[in-house]
Amino acid sequence: MFQSAQHLPDADTRLTAERLIQRGVVTLRDIERVAPNLTIQSINGTASTNMYLRGDGFNDFTQSNMAPVVTYFDDVPFAYSTMASGLMFDLADATVTPGPVGTTHGQSTTGGEVRLQTADPTDTWHYGASEDIASYARSRSEAYVSGPIAKNLDFRLAGQTRQGGGWQTDPLNGSHLGDANSWALRGKLRWRPDSRTTIMLGGHFVQDDSEVVTAVPVKRLIGTQPLPSLGWGQAEWSSRPQFADLIGRKRGIKPSEHNQFWGWDLHIDHDFGIAKITSITAFETEREGEYTDQDGTAAAQADTYRTVDANVFTQELRLSSSRPNDRLQWVVGAFYQRSRMNQRFFFDYTDYTPARGYMMATSFGMNQESTSEFGHVSYRLPHHLTLFGGLLHELDDRGITGLQSQIFGRGTTTFHRESTAANQFAGQVGISWQMTPGTLLYYKMSKGFKPGGFTANNTQIQAQLLPFAPETVLTYETGFKSDIIANKLRINAAAFYNDFHNQQILGTILIPNFGPLSQLTNAPKSESWGFEGTIEAHPIKHVFITQNLGWQRGNFQNFPTVNRAATNAYYARTGHWKAINDNFAGVDNGQPKLTLNGQAEWRQSLTNQLGLDFGPDWTYRGSQSITPGGTGFYRLPPYFLLGAHVSLRPTSGHWEATLYASNILNRQYFESSGQATTTYFYIPGAPRFIGGRVSCGF
């Protein structure tokens, strides 16, 4: 698979749609199970995600800042990760790119990108559907139709619905939680007026009213009230009628989403013979209403409702070489992005007494605009050597406006506007050597850049709105790609070193007489290093094995901030808040050191017309600390998950029937963690699911 990519000097993980379906990749978060050194975590069990690639990423609850790892759909970058929710269907392929990017397309980033391509229209008629039913009454239904409308005019329409699957229950009243309830549509219209021009118009709509996974408290940080004793699959939550009335939702609301996303994109490609021009215009919207219980108890100590109203316009224009066999390959282009966002957070602290005992709301607006110019060139020398390099310049301007913090029944505090601007260069240089027809060696140095931003959650003082600085990284990478035995053994591997300046980290600020709050800040100096690799083996007849391996280490070389663990411990001893400041120089960056995922298959022909394949798959993620320097309960335990499948399919490929299981051992594990006022909590992962999937396509 992806044979031509074996001659590209990168460490990308490329995945077919078939592999994604086989491994049960149906959400953005699932991609971490099929790529090395990648961690994708749900934020408080919701549809919003944070990504970490090679240890680079940050925890942004508000999702109002640019992430170090950006998600693309059909070459359109999504400024906010939540916008990708509900779109993982009718895919063509996926690519995970680690390290700084931006000299060939789109935006500059420091951590990398996840690129998803959806299936295009076809000039002949095709249609198909699939039904997936599993434990806890979970169902996923998909369908598509594609074909010609008129001469040189084709279309594709695809849809998905997701229902059920909730596996949490409240031991206090037996209430059920976690059912999916969403549907999505995507359409594409392709016009080819001549052999050199393609115009593609796409659009999508997602409605998501799913319930979310709720937190499990593991440590009480404030007060002496005992934590609930919970079994595997149990959780507590609360919803006071007064709070439901305040946020305008029905009484008895469960932790859930009420989200709507829609957008469109226009791709225009024209080949002049000596060069190709590409224009990508897109508009994306997000309308989010999200209720979470962040203390994980039946008390109203950190019940939260968040609304988001955001839209993003992007325009990319690039000119590139159009003859792939030429020694000289090049691309130049420009990218523009404009985003507008308004958020409002409601908090119910009624049972958090005597410290608070009230309901409050924080609201703000975020305006952002950026432009960038980029270029990349490669030249193939004699003896199979290729030199390549690229340069990017980006200007980013963003400001936070109209921020108010209102305590109902007590008063409102208004904060003045803050703004930040960045004007930076990024780039790349490298060399590759096609040592043999099946072996490529490469080395490259890349500088990545990511603009600064703001923390705007539960704001109490103006100092919380001070912008954090842009992040830059200088990455050194060397790797090889080798088909050691053609069609039998492939090994791709890369090693890297990241030298960060002002790495953006979720730190802590202490508010007098209030307590510690999370604040995005900068670690002036930090580093990470490691390697990743993929082995694809076909050692004997019928047996096919894929193994991804990622290992990384990192530490802060200079990072002065409030030590949250020590500050909480001091309060527990004395009953008074005092900031315990520390410098985390030499402290591990907290990211999982080891990630493993893979699968083994036995592929067998039963008849001339029918085939069978079956086998296990596995995932391992090492321990992770969300809080800098975190130990004990501040560090997520490692976990190992085992799955399996058996599939029956004809050689025609017109249908497929699969039985599968995930988390066969029914291991209790936790995917992310955090702190909300009185407790430190974990977000639990899903238990064992057993299901079946039937699909057909013609």
Side-chain angles (χ1 to χ4, degrees):
M1 293 184 293
F2 301 108
Q3 187 59 42
S4 62
Q6 287 297 100
H7 305 288
L8 300 177
D10 59 42
D12 293 9
T13 300
R14 295 174 172 86
L15 302 155
T16 63
E18 180 183 17
R19 175 62 57 86
L20 295 171
I21 293 171
Q22 189 181 77
R23 291 297 304 274
V25 177
V26 295
T27 68
L28 186 63
R29 184 182 177 272
D30 294 335
I31 296 176
E32 73 170 10
R33 301 204 304 265
V34 289
N37 274 329
L38 175 64
T39 298
I40 306 178
Q41 294 175 313
S42 165
I43 302 175
N44 299 334
T46 69
S48 300
T49 57
N50 288 316
M51 296 191 192
Y52 302 83
L53 189 50
R54 290 181 172 176
D56 187 17
F58 71 167
N59 186 3
D60 183 12
F61 173 59
T62 66
Q63 296 286 281
S64 55
N65 299 289
M66 180 179 170
V69 183
V70 172
T71 303
Y72 282 74
F73 264 91
D74 291 333
D75 295 323
V76 176
F78 282 13
Y80 311 115
S81 73
T82 316
M83 289 179 168
S85 177
L87 292 176
M88 294 285 291
F89 65 96
D90 198 37
L91 296 179
D93 57 60
T95 303
V96 178
T97 301
V101 294
T103 61
T104 61
H105 63 272
Q107 291 183 297
S108 170
T109 66
T110 52
E113 58 194 24
V114 175
R115 301 178 65 85
L116 299 148
Q117 293 291 328
T118 63
D120 284 339
T122 54
D123 54 13
T124 57
W125 283 100
H126 293 274
Y127 53 92
S130 68
E131 180 64 36
D132 186 325
I133 299 175
S135 310
Y136 302 96
R138 186 183 73 186
S139 69
R140 302 178 182 129
S141 307
E142 295 184 20
Y144 74 90
V145 60
S146 178
I149 298 176
K151 183 180 180 181
N152 301 325
L153 183 64
D154 313 312
F155 85 102
R156 189 180 188 96
L157 184 65
Q160 178 195 67
T161 66
R162 301 177 64 197
Q163 302 291 324
W167 49 269
Q168 286 187 309
T169 58
D170 189 332
L172 299 179
N173 54 28
S175 185
H176 181 78
L177 182 68
D179 281 337
N181 179 19
S182 69
W183 61 273
L185 287 173
R186 179 187 296 118
K188 286 187 173 182
L189 191 64
R190 182 179 65 187
W191 179 39
R192 291 179 288 191
D194 56 57
S195 61
R196 293 177 177 268
T197 306
T198 299
I199 300 173
M200 185 104 70
L201 177 64
H204 60 265
F205 183 93
V206 178
Q207 181 68 48
D208 186 0
D209 295 298
S210 303
E211 297 166 359
V212 305
V213 175
T214 256
V216 173
V218 295
K219 179 69 174 180
R220 179 164 291 284
L221 302 173
I222 309 298
T224 58
Q225 183 181 0
L227 292 177
S229 179
L230 300 171
W232 176 219
Q234 291 184 327
E236 288 186 9
W237 61 90
S238 58
S239 173
R240 296 175 60 251
Q242 298 89 336
F243 190 58
D245 293 343
L246 175 67
I247 63 179
R249 299 295 302 275
K250 66 179 181 180
R251 294 189 175 190
I253 182 175
K254 294 181 180 181
S256 58
E257 307 279 4
H258 181 53
N259 304 340
Q260 190 178 95
F261 312 99
W262 64 269
W264 58 265
D265 54 88
L266 177 65
H267 293 240
I268 302 175
D269 292 281
H270 181 76
D271 192 340
F272 294 100
I274 60 171
K276 177 181 177 182
I277 190 168
T278 299
S279 172
I280 306 171
T281 309
F283 183 79
E284 299 291 335
T285 67
E286 174 183 349
R287 304 290 183 267
E288 183 175 12
E290 180 183 271
Y291 178 68
T292 54
D293 188 313
Q294 294 181 31
D295 58 277
T297 73
Q301 296 176 332
D303 299 354
T304 305
Y305 187 71
R306 177 171 73 131
T307 64
V308 181
D309 185 346
N311 62 75
V312 183
F313 173 81
T314 58
Q315 173 65 59
E316 181 171 345
L317 187 65
R318 60 178 182 256
L319 189 68
S320 59
S321 50
S322 60
R323 295 193 290 254
N325 295 323
D326 286 356
R327 288 183 176 273
L328 178 65
Q329 298 293 314
W330 55 270
V331 58
V332 293
F335 177 81
Y336 171 78
Q337 176 176 283
R338 177 188 183 273
S339 67
R340 296 292 184 265
M341 170 184 279
N342 288 287
Q343 290 200 32
R344 195 174 191 193
F345 286 83
F346 295 86
F347 302 93
D348 190 354
Y349 297 133
T350 301
D351 295 331
Y352 181 12
T353 56
R356 302 184 193 178
Y358 50 72
M359 296 186 293
M360 67 168 294
T362 297
S363 57
F364 67 90
M366 183 77 71
N367 298 330
Q368 178 269 342
E369 193 169 16
S370 65
T371 57
S372 61
E373 312 84 38
F374 57 84
H376 193 275
V377 63
S378 67
Y379 187 76
R380 191 172 68 250
L381 298 167
H383 307 294
H384 309 293
L385 290 171
T386 300
L387 298 176
F388 58 90
L391 186 66
L392 171 131
H393 170 258
E394 184 171 316
L395 175 64
D396 183 274
D397 188 5
R398 59 186 65 209
I400 188 167
T401 63
L403 194 144
Q404 289 187 331
S405 188
Q406 180 181 8
I407 298 177
F408 294 98
R410 299 192 186 183
T412 300
T413 303
T414 300
F415 300 87
H416 63 72
R417 172 191 173 98
E418 295 280 359
S419 61
T420 183
N423 188 355
Q424 292 269 0
F425 284 89
Q428 182 183 97
V429 294
I431 184 171
S432 66
W433 178 33
Q434 194 70 51
M435 186 172 66
T436 70
T439 303
L440 175 78
L441 305 177
Y442 72 89
Y443 172 78
K444 62 182 176 182
M445 295 184 295
S446 307
K447 181 188 176 184
F449 157 75
K450 189 177 88 69
F454 306 91
T455 309
N457 176 26
N458 200 354
T459 305
Q460 300 297 315
I461 60 175
Q462 186 70 39
Q464 287 178 262
L465 293 183
L466 294 176
F468 53 87
E471 171 183 295
T472 61
V473 62
L474 185 60
T475 298
Y476 306 86
E477 179 181 320
T478 185
F480 70 90
K481 295 181 175 181
S482 181
D483 289 323
I484 296 175
I485 305 175
N487 301 315
K488 290 288 185 179
L489 180 62
R490 171 180 291 179
I491 300 178
N492 294 346
F496 63 89
Y497 174 81
N498 291 324
D499 181 13
F500 289 100
H501 291 266
N502 286 324
Q503 185 176 10
Q504 294 165 2
I505 299 291
L506 185 67
T508 300
I509 184 174
L510 180 69
I511 308 300
N513 302 317
F514 192 87
L517 291 175
S518 297
Q519 183 175 35
L520 291 166
T521 185
N522 297 97
K525 193 74 170 65
S526 56
E527 62 181 349
S528 67
W529 62 94
F531 62 85
E532 63 228 356
T534 298
I535 301 172
E536 296 181 32
H538 177 31
I540 60 174
K541 187 180 180 180
H542 304 304
V543 175
F544 297 82
I545 301 171
T546 299
Q547 176 64 62
N548 291 316
L549 166 67
W551 182 87
Q552 72 89 31
R553 293 291 303 271
N555 59 58
F556 302 111
Q557 296 164 295
N558 180 25
F559 183 25
T561 189
V562 173
N563 187 321
R564 175 168 288 199
T567 299
N568 285 332
Y570 180 86
Y571 180 86
R573 292 194 309 269
T574 67
H576 300 286
W577 287 119
K578 176 183 177 182
I580 308 299
N581 295 299
D582 202 350
N583 192 317
F584 287 94
V587 173
D588 185 88
N589 66 4
Q591 292 306 300
K593 294 178 176 60
L594 179 64
T595 58
L596 297 169
N597 56 72
Q599 69 174 44
E601 276 191 313
W602 181 280
R603 301 176 187 173
Q604 176 76 52
S605 295
L606 300 179
T607 69
N608 290 336
Q609 302 296 324
L610 195 62
L612 175 75
D613 62 70
F614 62 90
D617 59 78
W618 52 87
T619 299
Y620 173 83
R621 190 180 80 189
S623 66
Q624 178 188 13
S625 175
I626 302 296
T627 300
T631 58
F633 63 84
Y634 288 104
R635 195 170 190 94
L636 281 172
Y639 65 80
F640 173 80
L641 303 177
L642 183 66
H645 79 280
V646 54
S647 296
L648 193 66
R649 59 170 66 88
T651 54
S652 66
H654 287 324
W655 60 268
E656 178 180 322
T658 299
L659 294 176
Y660 65 88
S662 59
N663 193 6
I664 290 176
L665 304 178
N666 205 29
R667 293 281 182 87
Q668 184 172 9
Y669 68 102
F670 302 99
E671 62 156 291
S672 61
S673 65
Q675 176 181 334
T677 61
T678 59
T679 65
Y680 197 84
F681 61 80
Y682 289 165
I683 299 296
R688 180 193 299 120
F689 271 80
I690 299 175
R693 180 175 59 250
V694 178
S695 62
C696 61
F698 300 92

